[in-house]
């Protein structure tokens, strides 16, 4: 009986994601035919994304505590985190450079002129953007209480508390085993709730797409097609050329196979315009791919705050677009200084719909206030550009997780090959491997290591 149940569940979820595609197409049709009615459907999409965001902090907490608490050597956490942050910094720089090069080639925004409506929209976005310095950002990571970080919904405070709890459980040694088992059971419950929420995806996708098409219409997109097309092409170059070459060079993995494996997550992001909607599934799928829990538990959550490649490209091209449209083009020096400032300011805007627009307005307000009014020029298409941002951010974090796992020797390549070939399908019903006992350690994908000390063996240098 056991072997026959997974295919049945996979069939059901297969129809679910077909329903998502149909809902997106229906939403576009309703938005075009009944725009006023479509605008009223926006809460459907917002509600679905909020349900997913409700699960983000529990997923982060369980994943990081399990990942760190199960490691015998604390130095391994620092090694994984250091590699991840170094990689994120390099790739953010590469994304900025690509955006600058393409932006200076196509000159987005040239020939457009700011009008009063766009200026008003730009001022509104700027006034709603947070004005905080580096010290405010750092202090904001510290939660008011240990437990408030788990209830307020902010990603970085939850990340800090999860790290502290993980190290505390690790330091307790065998005494901390009951805590780990309890959190592993909690993780199973969290993923089961998430699987239940996913059945509302077609409703959320329908509401989100209908609302945005009803608000903007197709005519509003025609005059701005250049910046949209340029941005999408730039993101495609980054993913299918830059990331593909890096992934093959260091991990000998075909990015097309990896993206196919994550196809449902990309569809979910496309329909909700938020990479957060696929965050818990990325954690589950990367562990199923064969990357160890410590690497996944550190790289994915940190990447969602610090590895925003799509946002970096967006900030670059949107700034050039605004400057050109306002007949005040930026010099190369101004481009570099402004965009370095904004990529730092974007840290922590973990895939939230509209966060890129607010970050752009806030950065311009702080660095080039004379350009803030121009933010209104792209308000109408930001929703469509945010989809490409989210997709690129998600792809970048998936590749980063595989690379860090490869560099630290924390990926089971034999299992990864089976998963990518489709011979070891992901269990959609639980989002966890069915044969995973409650006391599993992160190195459970390496049965040859054996014994309770398997994580130590798994930490040897590659």
């Amino acid at each position: 009986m056991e072997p026959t149940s997974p295919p049945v569940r996979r069939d059901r979820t297969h129809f679910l994601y077909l329903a998502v595609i149909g809902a997106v197409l229906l939403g576009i049709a309703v938005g075009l035919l009944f725009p006023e009615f479509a605008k009223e459907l926006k809460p459907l999409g917002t509600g679905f994304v909020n349900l997913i965001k409700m699960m983000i902090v529990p997923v982060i907490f369980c994943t990081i505590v399990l990942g760190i608490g199960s490691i015998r050597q604390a130095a391994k956490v620092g090694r994984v985190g250091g590699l991840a942050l170094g990689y994120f910094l390099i790739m953010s720089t590469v994304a900025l450079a690509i955006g600058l090069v393409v932006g200076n080639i196509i000159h987005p925004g040239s020939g457009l002129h700011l009008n009063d409506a766009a200026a008003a929209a730009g001022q509104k976005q700027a006034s709603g953007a947070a004005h905080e310095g580096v010290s405010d950002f750092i202090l904001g990571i510290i939660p008011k209480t240990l437990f408030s970080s788990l209830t307020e919904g902010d990603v970085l405070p939850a990340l800090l508390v999860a790290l502290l709890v993980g190290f505390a459980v690790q330091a307790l040694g065998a005494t901390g085993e009951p805590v780990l088992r309890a959190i592993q059971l909690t993780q199973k419950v969290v993923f089961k709730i998430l699987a239940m929420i996913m059945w509302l995806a077609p409703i959320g996708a329908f509401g989100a797409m209908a609302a945005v098409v009803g608000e903007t219409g197709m005519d509003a997109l025609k005059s701005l097609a250049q910046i949209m097309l340029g941005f999408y092409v730039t993101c495609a170059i980054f993913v299918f050329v830059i990331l593909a070459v890096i992934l093959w060079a260091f991990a000998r993995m075909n990015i097309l196979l990896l993206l196919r494996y994550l196809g449902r997550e990309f569809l979910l992001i496309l329909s909700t315009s938020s990479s957060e909607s696929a965050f818990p599934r990325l954690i589950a799928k990367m562990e199923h791919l064969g990357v160890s829990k410590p690497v996944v538990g550190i790289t994915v959550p940190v990447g969602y705050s610090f590895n925003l490649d799509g946002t970096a490209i967006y900030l670059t091209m949107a700034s050039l677009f605004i400057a050109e449209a306002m007949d005040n083009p930026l010099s190369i020096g101004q481009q570099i200084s402004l965009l370095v400032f904004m990529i730092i300011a974007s840290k922590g805007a973990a895939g939230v719909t509209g966060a890129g627009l607010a970050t752009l307005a806030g950065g311009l307000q702080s660095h080039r206030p004379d350009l803030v009014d121009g933010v209104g020029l792209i308000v109408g298409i930001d929703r469509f550009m945010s989809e490409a941002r989210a997709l690129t951010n998600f792809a970048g974090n998936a590749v980063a997780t595989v690379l860090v796992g490869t560099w630290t020797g924390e990926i089971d390549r034999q299992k990864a090959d089976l998963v990518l070939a489709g011979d070891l399908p992901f269990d959609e019903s639980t989002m966890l491997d069915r044969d995973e006992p409650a006391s599993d350690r992160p190195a459970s994908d390496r049965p040859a290591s054996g014994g309770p000390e398997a994580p130590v063996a798994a930490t040897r240098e590659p």
Side-chain angles (χ1 to χ4, degrees), residues 51-52 88 103 139 227 236 265 299 358 424 448-449:
L51 283 173
I52 297 294
F88 296 158
L139 292 175
I227 178 65
E265 288 66 44
T299 306
L424 192 59
S449 300

Side-chain angles (χ1 to χ4, degrees), residues 202-373:
I203 299 176
F206 169 71
M209 292 304 299
V212 70
V213 174
E215 289 174 355
T216 61
M218 289 303 174
D219 291 338
L221 304 181
K222 292 179 181 178
S223 63
L224 300 173
Q226 185 184 38
I227 178 65
M228 289 179 61
L229 180 60
F231 179 62
Y232 271 72
V233 169
T234 306
C235 289
I237 292 174
F238 182 80
V239 172
F240 293 104
V241 177
I242 304 300
L243 290 183
V245 170
I246 294 175
L247 184 63
W248 178 257
F250 291 100
R252 284 296 184 266
M253 185 176 291
N254 189 325
I255 196 169
L256 296 179
L257 295 179
L258 180 63
L259 298 183
R260 185 185 67 177
Y261 171 60
L262 298 171
R264 292 186 174 184
E265 288 66 44
F266 283 113
L267 175 60
L268 181 62
I269 293 171
L270 188 65
S271 62
T272 62
S273 191
S274 172
S275 58
E276 272 196 349
S277 61
F279 173 87
R281 292 179 59 87
L282 178 61
I283 288 179
K285 280 205 161 182
M286 287 294 101
E287 289 183 1
H288 178 69
L289 186 66
V291 184
S292 72
K293 281 185 172 66
V295 170
V296 174
I298 296 170
T299 306
V300 174
V302 174
Y304 258 66
S305 289
F306 293 95
N307 189 35
L308 305 176
D309 299 325
T311 303
I313 296 172
Y314 167 81
L315 292 174
T316 305
M317 300 193 66
S319 298
L320 295 178
F321 171 81
I322 291 171
E324 292 275 356
M326 298 184 70
D327 298 320
N328 189 14
L330 298 168
S331 66
I332 296 298
Q334 289 175 328
Q335 291 177 27
I336 295 175
S337 62
L338 173 62
L339 296 171
V340 167
F341 172 86
M342 287 198 297
I343 198 58
I344 294 174
S346 70
K347 302 309 182 187
V352 181
T353 303
L357 189 62
T359 301
L360 174 64
L364 289 175
Q365 177 67 40
S366 301
H367 207 63
R368 281 291 301 273
D370 57 305
L371 297 178
V372 171
D373 290 348

Side-chain angles (χ1 to χ4, degrees), residues 53-115:
K53 290 169 65 176
M54 174 182 72
M55 307 302 296
I56 297 299
V57 169
V59 169
I60 287 178
F61 181 80
C62 293
T63 303
I64 292 182
V65 172
L66 289 175
I68 296 178
S70 301
I71 307 175
R72 295 298 187 193
Q73 298 177 353
K76 177 177 166 184
V77 178
R79 180 164 171 256
V80 172
L83 278 172
L85 287 174
Y87 172 80
F88 296 158
L89 178 62
I90 293 174
M91 293 312 295
S92 294
T93 304
V94 172
L96 279 171
I98 292 176
L100 281 174
V101 171
V102 175
N104 280 283
I105 291 175
I106 67 175
H107 295 289
S110 58
L112 293 178
H113 301 285
L114 182 66
N115 56 40

